[in-house]
Amino acid sequence: MSGLPREVIKWLQSLDLSHPIKNVKRDFSNGYLVAEILAWYYPHDLQMHSFSNGTSLTARQGNWEQLERLFLKEKFDIPKELIDNTIHCKPSGAKLLIERLYTLLTLKELKYLPAKCTPDDFTDRTYQSQLPLYARATASQSIKNNLANTELATEPDYTVCSSKAQAIVDVYNKQKQNDKECYPERFSTKPKLKVSPIKDKVGAGTDGVEEISVTQSKPPNL
């Protein structure tokens, strides 16, 4: 349960969930464990037999549709983007959602829990910034890391998918420019060797660069 605060981990362990949480991003993506958590507090509103513990996109969407109805009924302030990013296993999606549920269900506060989620909360930008420059993702790798296949499957509109990919590239380019400003010596380019045009004879060119020509000899007349 790496990344979750200690008090949230203790809270989850006290609920005696059906299976241990090893990977927060993956284990909460289908909504099944979220349903188990809510069933402790709203046993008459949720029936676990109506939830699937599968990993397919269809199973995830079905489970979360039921959970969203409960959120709406109880007036839980859980943004749609937070649910979507949890479904698609985006960075910090499940973590932020579980922390928000903790505050709503236990009425306890977490000091650092953001009041509003930002797009950067669901990217690997923080992780990438901690890596040395040579180990950071390329532009194409950034798209792969931050745009899930399930996200593309649920959005058939090519224009929307292209906009998401372009937004990721824009963030990458902005970070790259910032790196160049912070580490100019890392991105300095070496001067290229000057190649002068070939002349008919050896001598100094117009720029003072020695120029050497190679004359092809004609074959002797037979």
Side-chain angles (χ1 to χ4, degrees):
M1 289 188 282
S2 176
L4 289 173
R6 179 175 298 180
E7 56 266 43
V8 177
I9 294 175
K10 290 182 177 180
W11 171 64
L12 292 173
Q13 291 173 340
S14 70
L15 298 177
D16 193 24
L17 301 177
S18 60
H19 61 271
I21 301 167
K22 298 180 180 180
N23 185 309
V24 175
K25 183 171 64 174
R26 181 193 64 218
D27 293 341
F28 285 106
S29 64
N30 69 354
Y32 188 83
L33 288 181
V34 177
E36 285 193 350
I37 293 172
L38 292 168
W40 278 91
Y41 295 88
Y42 304 97
H44 301 295
D45 294 320
L46 289 178
Q47 303 298 324
M48 289 307 302
H49 63 78
S50 65
F51 289 87
S52 170
N53 197 19
T55 58
S56 68
L57 180 58
T58 302
R60 298 184 202 180
Q61 290 175 320
N63 288 347
W64 282 102
E65 285 175 2
Q66 297 182 68
L67 293 173
E68 285 184 82
R69 288 196 291 269
L70 179 62
F71 295 159
L72 183 61
K73 177 183 177 182
E74 298 299 329
K75 298 180 180 180
F76 283 175
D77 182 20
I78 298 181
K80 175 65 175 174
E81 62 177 347
L82 190 55
I83 296 173
D84 289 342
N85 284 286
T86 301
I87 293 174
H88 301 308
C89 297
K90 303 293 282 295
S92 299
K95 174 181 176 293
L96 291 172
L97 186 138
I98 294 303
E99 290 174 350
R100 191 171 293 269
L101 276 180
Y102 170 81
T103 61
L104 291 170
L105 296 174
T106 65
L107 303 180
K108 297 178 181 179
E109 295 295 330
L110 293 173
K111 294 181 179 179
Y112 58 87
L113 184 65
K116 185 178 181 181
C117 299
T118 65
D120 283 348
D121 292 329
F122 309 114
T123 68
D124 65 345
R125 183 177 181 180
T126 301
Y127 169 72
Q128 291 292 331
S129 64
Q130 296 172 352
L131 296 176
L133 296 178
Y134 66 84
R136 295 181 184 178
T138 60
S140 59
Q141 188 65 41
S142 295
I143 295 176
K144 183 178 179 181
N145 292 346
N146 297 292
L147 193 59
N149 291 333
T150 53
E151 194 172 1
L152 298 175
T154 55
E155 183 52 72
D157 190 338
Y158 176 79
T159 304
V160 175
C161 295
S162 297
S163 298
K164 290 182 178 181
Q166 185 60 52
I168 294 171
V169 173
D170 290 343
V171 171
Y172 169 83
N173 288 334
K174 184 177 180 180
Q175 182 62 45
K176 197 74 172 179
Q177 183 61 36
N178 183 65
D179 291 340
K180 289 181 179 180
E181 294 175 359
C182 294
Y183 310 100
E185 69 284 353
R186 177 73 181 180
F187 295 92
S188 59
T189 57
K190 296 181 180 179
K192 296 182 179 180
L193 295 176
K194 182 171 182 178
V195 179
S196 58
I198 297 177
K199 300 294 182 179
D200 291 336
K201 53 185 178 180
V202 179
T206 56
D207 296 329
V209 179
E210 185 178 10
E211 299 164 342
I212 302 176
S213 65
V214 178
T215 304
Q216 184 177 3
S217 61
K218 296 182 180 180
N221 295 328
L222 299 178

